[in-house]
Every structure is written in structure tokens, then in C-alpha cells.
Amino acid sequence: ATYKGYLVANDSKYHNWTIDDFLKAPGKYSIGFVTKTSGSGWAYPMAMFKKRGIDPAKAFKSVTIFENHPALTDAVALGKVDIGATWEYNLDQAEQKYGKKFQILYTTPDIPGLGWVASKKIDKNLVDKIRQIQMQLNNSKELKAALLKDTPDKGWVVLDESFYDSVREVVKYVGEFK
């Protein structure tokens, strides 16, 4: 139901560094984020900076926005940016490609995975029917495999709306991300 996001650097260059080591020299290092639609590649790391009173545009030499996570980790591995924001699934894929080349500088709180949420304006009977179908899909290996193909997701769970409190916290610092 959750995943982690990371700020990473090239381990061969920044072994045992933390995010604070980079912040000691404002304007010296570069950072990369993924588009503003990404929780782990933009919103959660940006909220961490803003919560600490840090504007990445002022703290770093450059801020690059990448179209996707693999492009970002490629840039970190190849030294095109010093730090990059990504998520655990992509970091695993990047380590398969490059080896253990990444130093984790910061780990986000748990980020809710892909969610199906409904406005309180939606008919409760419809919401209950969709939930019932999703729970039935959990029992069909074939349908579940087909619907979740090429995702790290394993199925559906029902969670209380308080599960999304961390998203509300992020929104306070960065606004809505969509």
C-alpha cells in the first residue's frame, strides 16, 4: 500500500554523504526532480526542503526536471546531476542497470501507492460496488496479473482515509500535485 522515495547521489563520488553535506555549500551542486506529477520524484522531497525552509532553486547550482524516473537515475549515475529524487522501484531497476552505484541521502516517509479514492459526493453504493469488485479481483490470479502487469502493485486493500494524512502534509508545503 506504500512505497518510499529517495534522494540519491552517485556513491563513487559522494560515499557516506548526507543531504546536509550538499547543503553546506549553497550553489555548488545540482539536483534533479521528476515532473510535478510524481510524489517521490518531486512532491515529497520538495516538501522536505520547504519544511526545512530551503528553496532548492537557491540552495543548488541548478534544478533539472526530468520526464521520468529512469532518465533521472541515468543522469545521477552518469554524473549529469549530483542529486536525484526517485522511488524504490526505479532505484531497484537502476541498480540492476548500473550496480550499487547510488548513495541514499534521504528517505521519504511512506507514500501511499496508487489509490482509488472517491469524493464524498459520489453515491456510497457505487463506491461499495467498486470496492467489492476490487476485492474479488484479488482472488483471481489471472485477472489481477493482467490488470497489474508492469506495475509493482500486488493487489487492492481497503484503507481508512487517515492513511492519506502524509499527502495532506505534503500539500501544505507544495500545493496540489497532479
Side-chain angles (χ1 to χ4, degrees), residues 106-121:
Y106 167 77
T107 302
T108 68
D110 285 340
I111 302 172
L114 296 175
W116 288 66
V117 297
S119 163
K120 291 180 180 182
K121 297 176 185 176

Side-chain angles (χ1 to χ4, degrees), residues 114-133:
L114 296 175
W116 288 66
V117 297
S119 163
K120 291 180 180 182
K121 297 176 185 176
I122 303 295
D123 179 38
K124 185 176 177 349
N125 290 329
L126 176 60
V127 172
D128 289 342
K129 184 66 174 170
I130 292 169
R131 182 177 290 155
Q132 179 185 5
I133 291 168

Side-chain angles (χ1 to χ4, degrees), residues 12 22-23 25 37 50 58 132 140 142 149:
S12 62
F22 287 93
L23 296 171
T37 60
K50 289 191 174 195
K58 293 178 182 173
Q132 179 185 5
S140 171
E142 296 80 18
K149 183 180 180 203

Side-chain angles (χ1 to χ4, degrees), residues 7-11 13-14 17 19 22 25 27-32 60-62 64 66 72 75-85 101-103 105:
L7 287 175
V8 297
N10 187 314
D11 189 54
K13 193 170 181 182
Y14 302 111
W17 280 46
I19 191 61
F22 287 93
K28 183 175 180 182
Y29 302 100
S30 59
I31 190 166
F60 294 96
K61 173 176 61 180
S62 65
T64 304
F66 292 86
L72 178 129
V76 172
L78 300 173
K80 294 179 180 177
V81 294
D82 297 302
I83 302 171
K101 192 166 189 149
F102 301 93
Q103 169 72 33
L105 308 170

